[in-house]
């Protein structure tokens, strides 16, 4: 359950990051409100996940999901550059997230 909460926390991080972009420094009301709501949800779920998952692993995965997801949305929705180097490092980041999950899961079994 903690991993699911962490995944949802990372996804909500993507939402609030996009909201911050659209809020233009909190000068646009609706995106500002959405950002604050999703920041609250994101950090609540992140905190609940850290009750079970070690903080180093949880934080790396939380920020990794948010960073990778935000970058992907930036490319797909906002037309940001998607060069080969950027895609390579995004894949590397995603591989790292999966690796952290797998490594943490092994420690629980041992």
């Amino acid at each position: 359950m903690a991993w699911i909460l962490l995944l949802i926390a990372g996804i909500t991080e993507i939402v609030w990051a996009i909201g911050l972009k659209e809020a233009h420094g909190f000068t646009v009301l609706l995106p500002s409100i959405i950002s604050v709501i999703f920041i609250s949800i994101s950090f609540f779920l992140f905190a609940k996940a850290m009750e079970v998952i070690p903080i180093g692993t949880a934080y790396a995965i939380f920020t990794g999901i948010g960073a990778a997801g935000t970058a992907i949305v930036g490319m797909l929705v906002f037309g940001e550059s998607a060069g080969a180097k950027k895609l390579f490092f995004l894949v590397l980041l995603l591989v790292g997230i999966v690796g952290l999950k797998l490594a943490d899961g092994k420690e629980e079994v041992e």
Side-chain angles (χ1 to χ4, degrees):
M1 183 67 174
W3 289 103
I4 293 170
L5 294 177
L6 187 60
L7 176 65
I8 296 170
I11 291 169
T12 56
E13 183 183 13
I14 298 166
V15 174
W16 67 252
I18 294 167
L20 285 178
K21 177 175 177 57
E22 296 300 311
H24 299 283
F26 292 105
T27 59
V28 182
L29 184 60
L30 185 58
S32 299
I33 292 170
I34 290 171
S35 295
V36 170
I37 290 170
F38 275 88
I39 286 170
S40 300
I41 293 169
S42 180
F43 279 93
F44 174 78
L45 296 174
F46 178 49
K48 296 302 283 182
M50 283 193 303
E51 290 177 355
V52 175
I53 302 169
I55 186 170
T57 302
Y59 189 69
I61 291 175
F62 172 71
T63 57
I65 291 171
T70 304
I72 291 168
V73 170
M75 288 184 275
L76 296 177
V77 176
F78 297 109
E80 296 177 357
S81 68
K85 290 178 186 174
K86 190 172 185 177
L87 293 175
F88 170 77
F89 287 112
L90 273 174
V91 169
L92 192 61
L93 180 60
L94 294 171
V95 169
I97 291 169
V98 171
L100 281 171
K101 164 63 176 103
L102 294 174
D104 190 55
K106 279 187 172 182
E107 290 173 4
E108 291 176 8
V109 173
E110 293 176 354

